[in-house]
Amino acid sequence: QVQLVESGGGLVQPGGSLRLSCAASGRTFSNVLMGWFRQAPGKEREFVGSIRYSNGVTYLDYGDSVKGRFTISEDNAKNTVYLQMNSLKPEDTAVYYCAAAVASPNYNFWGQGTQVTVSS
C-alpha cells in the first residue's frame, strides 16, 4: 500500500521560507511522477509543481504562481520529495498536499496534507 506523509508546515512571516517534505513508502518511487498541490479555504485545488526522475533525467514543472520562488527536489534513497518555498506571500497560505501517479497517468495517491500559513 502506497503511503505519502507530508511534514514541515507551519506559520511563517511574509518573505520567509519553509521546506515541506513528503515521505513515500510502499514501493520504489523512481520514475514515478510526484506532485505538490495546495488548497486554500474556499478555493479549488491548485497545482504547485511536479518532479519525475527517469533514465538519468529529472523533469520538473511548476505552477505559474510559484515559479522562481518554489523548488522541488527528491532524494530517491530516502523516497522523499521536498518542496522548498522561498519569498512566501500571504496568498501562499493553504493546505499543501503531496501526490503520486503510480502506474497511472493521473495522481492516484495523496497525502493527508500539511498547513502552511503566511502571516505577520
Side-chain angles (χ1 to χ4, degrees), residues 11-23:
L11 173 65
V12 63
Q13 291 187 342
S17 298
L18 274 178
R19 189 179 78 158
L20 305 183
S21 300
C22 172

Side-chain angles (χ1 to χ4, degrees), residues 54-112:
S54 176
N55 296 323
V57 179
T58 299
Y59 299 91
L60 293 164
D61 190 21
Y62 295 97
D64 288 341
S65 63
V66 306
K67 281 180 181 177
R69 299 188 298 124
F70 291 10
T71 303
I72 296 176
S73 61
E74 64 180 6
D75 184 334
N76 286 320
K78 296 182 179 179
N79 267 358
T80 300
V81 177
Y82 303 97
L83 178 65
Q84 177 66 45
M85 305 184 294
N86 298 327
S87 301
L88 283 162
K89 306 174 182 179
E91 51 263 44
D92 294 317
T93 296
V95 177
Y96 284 71
Y97 297 92
C98 174
V102 178
S104 169
N106 303 311
Y107 292 100
N108 51 357
F109 290 95
W110 294 82
Q112 83 289 350

Side-chain angles (χ1 to χ4, degrees), residues 3-31:
Q3 287 191 320
L4 304 174
V5 179
E6 302 96 335
S7 61
L11 173 65
V12 63
Q13 291 187 342
S17 298
L18 274 178
R19 189 179 78 158
L20 305 183
S21 300
C22 172
S25 62
R27 59 158 287 156
T28 58
F29 287 81
S30 179
N31 202 32

